[in-house]
Amino acid sequence: MATVVVLDGSRPAEQGMEGICRLLTDVLHATSVREETLCLRELEIAACQGCFACWTRTPGECVIDDAARGVARAVIGGDVTVLLTPIVFGGVSSDLKKAVDRLIPLYSPLFRRVRGEVHHRPRYSRYPSLVGIGVTDRGLGTNDEQVFRRLFDRIAVNFMSPSHGVAILDAADAHEQMAQAIREVLAGVGVS
Amino acid sequence: MRTTKRALLLVGSPKGLARSLGSRRGAVILDALQDRGAEVQKMHILPAVSSAAGKRALLDAVQRADKILLAAPLYVDSLPAPVITAFETLSESRAEIRDDKQMLALLNCGYPEASQNAVAVQICQSFAQAMGWAWAGGIAIGGAGFRGDAMQRIAARVADALLQEEPVPEEIIRLAAAPAMPTWLYVLGGNLMWRRQARGNGVRRRLRARPYVKLDDR
């Protein structure tokens, strides 16, 4: 059975995000996958120190012994990673970014060229597909939405995701409309 | 009416003011601003966003400044988490921050292509717009750095532009993005560096270790 790991990057007391996370969980429960949701704001995760010890001192594992190790283990063990976040200036929330920054031990420090650009080499033989779900309260069609899509296109390259998709949810939308958008983006990476 | 401009360099690298490359480059621009009569201040974002007192100090420093310079490395195609925390903190207090400011982003990545910073630059621009600040531009620098003594030239032109309330000239953005070495040489040198560091730490043979290998081989 495929495993979908959800990294919930909603911030404390954020309007509507809790309901959207529950909605995502409900959608996943209606599919044939095993779902594991990690509520990042409830985990102790330090910011990446940029020391690269996870590459050259303890290869494959961050030297900071906190919940981020478990997040990295869950991500590489899953088939699909879903990053759920409010759209913050076109990017992701700080809580989500803290966890994402700490995923670099999953990759090799060594470089290779991918589609004309330099990126890191894989450490593992397989990586999960990637889904970005961004929630906005500013209506759809903003520049931030385009930036968010471009961000996930790039993260998918660096995370070596075999497939990826992005859904943008308007917090004012009806739940069924949001559920449909979630189902569609998950179907794009083979979750149905 | 105060005529002296105040510039604040926010350093987004977790490595801090002394060890961060972005901080050192940003300091060259601060020096150029100081030479032109501006008052300057540097602040390390990570400790600032780690406590209530630090966040208050960040707000006060931003409130006092006319020019906000952000120097940050690229972390997973975006800004490091503490920089986003700083953006969130400032945005939440937007009502108490004057909007007559100008913001410049100075971003560097570990890949040779400066263009890999583009999305992070857009995120900075979106933040500046949300704060009501004028956007001075994003200087994106690749891992190979730039040619020769370009930093002094970049700093002088950036300082002039900021003090004239203008965006950084495109020519300067192109100059900063021009790599100092060919990509193949950067890749070769980079891979040698990583292997040498691993050897120095006694883990050269474990460079490709897969600590979660059981999951990998399911």
Side-chain angles (χ1 to χ4, degrees), chain A residues 45 47 53 85 95-96 105 116 118 121 136 141 151 176 183:
Chain A
I45 296 178
T85 177
D95 281 323
L96 177 55
V118 174
R121 295 184 194 172
T136 179
L151 173 62
E176 182 43 42
R183 278 192 287 268

Side-chain angles (χ1 to χ4, degrees), chain B residues 97-178:
Chain B
I97 299 175
R98 293 189 336 262
D99 61 6
D100 56 347
K101 301 181 194 302
Q102 197 181 15
M103 179 176 173
L104 169 82
L106 182 66
L107 304 184
N108 58 276
C109 66
Y111 300 123
E113 304 91 0
S115 58
Q116 295 211 36
N117 293 294
V119 170
V121 168
Q122 288 176 315
I123 290 170
C124 292
Q125 184 174 9
S126 174
F127 165 71
Q129 282 169 348
M131 296 298 289
W133 301 348
W135 176 240
I139 296 179
I141 304 166
F146 34 66
R147 293 195 177 100
D149 61 350
M151 191 63 234
Q152 292 298 337
R153 215 171 117 205
I154 290 167
R157 293 288 301 278
V158 167
D160 288 342
L162 290 177
L163 293 174
Q164 289 162 24
E165 310 290 338
E166 289 175 358
V168 172
E170 280 299 319
E171 169 210 340
I172 292 303
I173 290 173
R174 280 197 301 274
L175 176 66

Side-chain angles (χ1 to χ4, degrees), chain A residues 79-98:
Chain A
D79 300 284
V80 176
T81 308
V82 177
L83 304 182
L84 173 66
T85 177
I87 298 179
V88 180
F89 310 115
V92 303
S93 70
S94 56
D95 281 323
L96 177 55
K97 193 61 179 22
K98 249 196 296 196

